[in-house]
Amino acid sequence: MAVLLEHESQIFLDLFHQDGLVVCARGLGIDRLLLRFLRLYCEPASLVLVLNTSPAEEEYFIDQLSSDGVVHLPRRVTNEITNNTRYEFYTQGGVIFATSRILVVDFLTDRIPANLITGILVYKAHRIIESCQEAFILRLYRQKNKQGFIKAFTDNAIAFNTGFCHVERVMRNLFVRKLYLWPRFHIAVNSFLEKHKPEVVEIHVSMTPAMRAIQTSVLDILNACLRELKRYNPALEVEDLSLENAIGKPFDKTIRHYLDPLWHQLGAKTKSLVQDLKILRTLLLYLTQYDCVTFLNLLESLKASEKAFGENSGWLFLDASTSMFVNARARVYRIADEKLNQKGKVSEKSDVKKENELKRELVLESNPKWEALREVLKEIENENKNSEDLGGPGQVLICASDDRACAQLREYIIAGAEAFLTRLYNKTFGKDEKAEEVWIKDRKAVKSKGNARPDTGPQAKKAKLTASSKQNKHKKQQDRTIIQMIGKTEEEKGEQLEVEDNKELSSSQESIIEETIPEDFHVNLPSDCYYGIFKNPLTIIHPLQGCSDPYALTRVLHEVEPRYVVLYDAELTFVRQLEIYKASRPGKPLRVYFLIYGGSTEEQRYLTALRKEKEAFEKLIREKASMVIPEEREGRDETNLDLVRDAKPASASSDTRKAGGQEQKSVQQTVIVDMREFRSELPSLIHRRGIDIEPVTLEVGDYILTPDICVERKSISDLIGSLNNGRLYTQCISMSRYYKRPILLIEFDPNKSFSLIPRGSLHQEISSNDVTSKLTLLTLHFPKLRILWCPSPHATAELFEELKQNHPQPDAETAMAVTADSEILPESDKYNPGPQDFLLKMPGINAKNCRALMNHVKSIAELVTLSKDELSKILGNAANATQLFDFIHLTYRDAISKGKSKR
């Protein structure tokens, strides 16, 4: 393991000596800190639990520790470890990763030796809210163990920006008194990283005039949509919904935060505006991220879908929108006939457009960043030639935002801009084959004139690295350097282009990127997301986001150990990670090329992210200065009120009429909960109200409150799913059969609207697609079934407590014995379910008169002997009696003749 840096060892010592919550700046290595603690406790003598880690993160930590030579590696508790062996598993000690669901159940059933736990490490601590599973585990732990430590880590300062005293609430749930803040501007961090600065080359690439015009148009439309949104919803006049924030990534979450609670009250106009904001943000991203063809394809598809569905909120009719379409098309092609090409007006008229389809002349404007990247690679190539004193050529790591950008860059570097964009154009707009023929003729004409300058301006300068002439060239291609590939004569380029274009037209439309890379080029890297380009020196493109393994980039960085890193896209976390990487390898050179569009939304997004984090830390510093923390916060003695399990308000007075207000003997309340329910927060809230929880595996119901009351809990998505697939129907049959008072609990998310369907969607008629119709049919079919509507889990817990009052406690053994096909019925129910179901299927018998009939008649054989008058006396309805009598006594022949006469 790398030695801790100066500021990291200071954080480690602070936290080691006194429990607390550490809030670090993004990318400053919170994972390195947690690793150090894991390493410290990886021994059989201690038992340390780690909460809130994902499987990919656990794998990374275990890999790091094993490469460090740690003997007693952390272990994972999964469902595969049986209940009876789990106690032994825990007592073997060491560090244990476990899912919160398993830990809650083990704490409640005493399968975990709580008094032997050395402590708990909490990762991503900003997520610990009062009702979540991790907070429940920490509460159970503190109730049973007063000595162990709790140490919490997070690198998301911005999460503490929302709500009132958010950080204080999180610390209260974590049972810690100390808050350690380590922003990037902390004097210890800043002074240390200043000493070990990597060499940074900032390249501000200027956007093409067309790109700049498109960006202005999109921003104008975004601004118009935001103004419109605020006009329709005056409550949204908040500074969060500004144009600057609209460009940033977290904007979707922000807007949902404001609109979700009243989503069912919003009009169609507001909803379509929210959708439009999402589309416009995607357009801004595509503009700087990808090429001109991909951008135009997205725009055209938007227009096509608007025409198809007619759902237009109006932004397509703005002047800015017209300008955006004109410029986006101008980047890809221009109409050949000059007379018709007057400011692109013609392209709007569909009849003239058909004539012009054939007269398109491809422009295929290349991405300015590609140019800059090629220059950078050229510079690195030159430096690597004279790198003997640095110990040979340096490896290169290029980082782009996602998989798609990486794939595009690789194809650009290998095939050149022109070939790549032509292939993409053919694949996307490939129907206009005649346009391509015109294009090829132009290329040949240019070549025959001996003109060194190809037809479309800047394309000539691109790196033509054609590797598409199949496998015989692969071997030679692999050993060539970039300079050799780039520095070809124009004639060679022209020939290659011709080959390239002809190949593109002849090959299938779906020709994919994989063709262009040598097949025998495999680099043994820990991440499967990388895109290799050259073996010598190793040049690799890796996405910044979207990898299944959150530490893929970190692994690649430490395995490849690049001397040159090219940041094709700016990302705050990785920039900081590079600073730490350089500081942990003093003396080894690292140069970072930082490519960014000057004056673009991309630059603004990066600066906003920096400012937001700085402001979040400043707010935390102010809060810390004025925070009042009670002495008993850590819960090491009995005085912490958060550990008291009683929800009675302090104002509740005792009833003095009962023998002078003497203490009444209270029975400990119990609820039986199905194991699968521990994914939700309800068990934690029930436990908080002083009710004991017995976790068992139930086949019928989710919660058994009393011997008679069985509850099936459904969230909204779950309810709709189980109504559609019929699962709820079978669950209701089982509950009605085995319990006197079956209950369906419909639980809403407290952050969303307390409404099943929007107001305007209520129909007069019953329809098979409607949720309310299905619920109505369900209640008609099961008269005993009660439905509880709960706005939040807190309301549910309170309701459960009220339903349990003055009722006996349920028995876990009995509840477990009830299965969907068990014949053993509760004693209270003296009917056999088989014949009962058969009886209910007969005409004239319904849920209301079924009981009366069963009380009077012993068997179906006896029922057949009864006369019509006797039946009407028992059923209390002559019409029902006639129906049943006719059904029993009608012969087959009579039934057939009756059917024919009806026809």
Side-chain angles (χ1 to χ4, degrees), residues 350-364:
S350 55
D351 51 333
V352 192
K353 192 177 176 188
K354 284 172 191 164
E355 295 168 29
N356 293 349
E357 285 280 327
L358 313 178
K359 297 179 184 175
R360 282 182 184 180
E361 192 180 300
L362 296 190
V363 176
L364 298 179

Side-chain angles (χ1 to χ4, degrees), residues 423-441:
R423 183 192 71 76
L424 207 57
Y425 183 84
N426 289 339
K427 188 177 171 185
T428 316
F429 305 104
K431 291 168 189 162
D432 319 325
E433 285 189 16
K434 290 186 183 176
E436 263 62 56
E437 285 170 28
V438 173
W439 172 237
I440 286 171
K441 280 175 194 167

Side-chain angles (χ1 to χ4, degrees), residues 67 91 100 117 310 333 358 448 509 564 685 708 764 864 883:
S67 64
T91 49
S100 48
I117 296 174
Y333 58 79
L358 313 178
S448 63
Q509 297 261 314
Y564 305 101
L685 297 170
D708 294 342
Q764 293 291 321
V864 178
Q883 263 185 308

Side-chain angles (χ1 to χ4, degrees), residues 617-827:
F617 268 113
E618 284 168 355
K619 184 182 173 192
L620 282 175
I621 291 166
R622 286 196 300 275
E623 271 191 40
K624 184 181 176 180
S626 59
M627 205 185 280
V628 178
I629 295 169
E631 196 63 38
E632 67 276 1
R633 166 63 55 81
E634 292 190 348
R636 294 189 187 275
D637 46 33
E638 297 303 325
T639 51
N640 188 331
L641 295 176
D642 288 330
L643 294 175
V644 176
R645 285 177 55 209
D646 193 5
K648 278 182 189 161
S651 57
S653 57
S654 56
D655 188 354
T656 52
R657 293 175 68 185
K658 288 182 182 169
Q662 69 185 34
E663 196 68 36
Q664 300 296 317
K665 276 188 181 176
S666 60
V667 181
Q668 178 53 47
Q669 300 284 330
T670 314
V671 169
I672 294 165
V673 183
D674 184 32
M675 290 283 196
R676 290 166 289 250
E677 275 301 299
F678 283 95
R679 288 190 186 92
S680 77
E681 51 198 64
L682 184 54
S684 130
L685 297 170
I686 295 172
H687 186 268
R688 188 74 186 263
R689 299 189 81 83
I691 300 172
D692 277 354
I693 288 175
E694 272 195 63
V696 295
T697 307
L698 296 175
E699 257 195 60
V700 177
D702 291 330
Y703 297 85
I704 311 295
L705 305 186
T706 71
D708 294 342
I709 302 177
C710 169
V711 180
E712 180 67 39
R713 188 188 73 91
K714 294 281 178 205
S715 64
I716 299 303
S717 53
D718 197 11
L719 174 75
I720 293 166
S722 51
L723 276 172
N724 288 343
N725 62 21
R727 198 172 81 245
L728 186 57
Y729 179 78
T730 53
Q731 286 170 334
C732 288
I733 287 178
S734 306
M735 286 202 300
S736 307
R737 181 172 291 170
Y738 301 115
Y739 292 96
K740 279 185 181 172
R741 292 166 68 191
I743 292 176
L744 172 63
L745 167 76
I746 299 172
E747 195 174 83
F748 288 79
D749 183 342
N751 301 323
K752 301 244 171 91
S753 54
F754 184 39
S755 159
L756 196 57
I757 52 169
R759 285 175 182 175
S761 308
L762 284 166
H763 301 294
Q764 293 291 321
E765 290 79 31
I766 279 188
S767 87
S768 58
N769 306 327
D770 196 21
V771 181
T772 43
S773 299
K774 286 178 180 171
L775 273 177
T776 312
L777 292 170
L778 196 73
T779 48
L780 286 171
H781 200 92
F782 300 103
K784 285 203 301 183
L785 184 71
R786 299 286 174 265
I787 298 183
L788 297 180
W789 302 84
C790 288
S792 71
H794 289 267
T796 311
E798 196 177 332
L799 206 56
F800 277 10
E801 191 176 16
E802 286 175 18
L803 285 170
K804 282 186 65 60
Q805 277 175 10
N806 307 324
H807 284 288
Q809 303 312 310
D811 177 44
E813 296 297 322
T814 317
M816 283 168 74
V818 174
T819 61
D821 13 86
S822 60
E823 290 300 318
I824 314 144
L825 283 164
E827 275 69 55

Side-chain angles (χ1 to χ4, degrees), residues 511-677:
S511 64
I512 49 172
I513 298 161
E514 270 58 41
E515 285 179 14
T516 61
I517 194 85
E519 282 170 23
D520 52 346
F521 176 26
H522 290 297
V523 182
N524 184 24
L525 276 185
S527 161
D528 52 357
C529 301
Y530 72 90
Y531 295 79
I533 310 171
F534 304 111
K535 254 187 176 171
N536 203 5
L538 185 61
T539 302
I540 274 171
I541 305 182
H542 199 286
L544 288 162
Q545 285 132 4
C547 306
S548 53
D549 175 7
Y551 292 103
L553 200 49
T554 315
R555 288 173 191 258
V556 169
L557 193 63
H558 288 284
E559 190 122 336
V560 174
E561 296 199 337
R563 188 182 302 160
Y564 305 101
V565 177
V566 183
L567 286 172
Y568 184 82
D569 289 302
E571 214 250 339
L572 182 60
T573 312
F574 189 59
V575 172
R576 299 251 178 86
Q577 215 172 318
L578 285 172
E579 288 187 297
I580 297 288
Y581 167 72
K582 170 73 178 82
S584 60
R585 300 163 70 246
K588 292 189 180 176
L590 172 70
R591 182 182 299 163
V592 180
Y593 290 93
F594 199 84
L595 303 184
I596 200 154
Y597 283 118
S600 69
T601 50
E602 179 193 30
E603 184 181 33
Q604 186 57 53
R605 203 178 296 131
Y606 181 74
L607 295 173
T608 305
L610 263 175
R611 182 178 59 79
K612 282 271 174 69
E613 193 187 71
K614 186 169 177 281
E615 284 173 2
F617 268 113
E618 284 168 355
K619 184 182 173 192
L620 282 175
I621 291 166
R622 286 196 300 275
E623 271 191 40
K624 184 181 176 180
S626 59
M627 205 185 280
V628 178
I629 295 169
E631 196 63 38
E632 67 276 1
R633 166 63 55 81
E634 292 190 348
R636 294 189 187 275
D637 46 33
E638 297 303 325
T639 51
N640 188 331
L641 295 176
D642 288 330
L643 294 175
V644 176
R645 285 177 55 209
D646 193 5
K648 278 182 189 161
S651 57
S653 57
S654 56
D655 188 354
T656 52
R657 293 175 68 185
K658 288 182 182 169
Q662 69 185 34
E663 196 68 36
Q664 300 296 317
K665 276 188 181 176
S666 60
V667 181
Q668 178 53 47
Q669 300 284 330
T670 314
V671 169
I672 294 165
V673 183
D674 184 32
M675 290 283 196
R676 290 166 289 250
E677 275 301 299

